Amino acid sequence: ALLPFSMMIAAASEEQILLEAALSTGDECVGDGSDEQCTLAALQLRAQKARTEEKRQSGEEHDKNEGEILTKATTLDGTLGNKLGMYTDQPLCKGAGEGTICVPVTNSYLYCSIGKQLNYWNGHTGTVTCESQMGKMSWCVKGGSGMDRVHCDDPFCRNGGATSGNGKYCHKGAVVSCQGQNAPYTEDPCSDHSYVDPSDSDCTITESRSCTGGFPHPYCHVTGSSRVCTTTTTGSYGYSSYSPSPSYSPSPSYS
């Protein structure tokens, strides 16, 4: 059964929904040739195209009809996408492949598909500015996974966060270091620390940690702790927690 047209457009902007919904239909534009039928076929072909290109890049064996799939995907998806306003001509997308690219100078990014800009994708519309995503002075940089080939970096070190210049700071609960205009490097995420209770091997203590202290010597501070005990015979458990005073200092081995 065909999806309602509004749901079909939503599927075009959500990669997982696109794959699941589009792959439930046939490969061809069949039946009455309606926009809904044809566009679902286009979505399927685009998904097949993406998988084929990923297989080629990874060296996996690809389908024998790869050439046919790529040709049909480009022609059908492009024609119907233009008709429905899904694409915009964009010189930056020529030969860019499927996925996101940075827009030079502007510190923004967009999504390219079949050599054009895809207007609706992953909940975004058109071009996305890094300032709106990560804050003032965020840069668009290469690096990511799948179709997300670029991302907006963290501008903490260049937009006023590194008040004392190069060195270590607390940032978003972690210990980070700043060097020049680069994005902050995480020295210690101050993740929770779990260990077996020395007084009872059936119990596990988990300490919650967060960064405290200022430049140049911030450190991970224990902000609270929980204790969970299990009984192998009954499967029952107990739970307790506490929050240390502000002056509490963690063991050196956990800092």
Side-chain angles (χ1 to χ4, degrees), residues 38-58:
C38 294
T39 307
L40 279 174
L43 293 177
Q44 180 188 33
L45 290 170
R46 182 142 59 91
Q48 289 177 312
K49 175 186 176 183
R51 289 203 313 278
T52 302
E53 290 178 343
E54 287 180 352
K55 286 183 179 180
R56 184 195 295 119
Q57 293 175 3
S58 65

Side-chain angles (χ1 to χ4, degrees), residues 38 53 64 66 80 114 130 154 182 186 215 221 229-230 232 237 242 255:
C38 294
E53 290 178 343
K64 294 181 179 180
E66 170 189 342
L80 293 174
I114 63 170
C130 284
D154 188 334
N182 296 324
T186 301
F215 176 89
H221 171 72
C229 300
T230 60
T232 56
Y237 67 90
Y242 72 90
S255 61

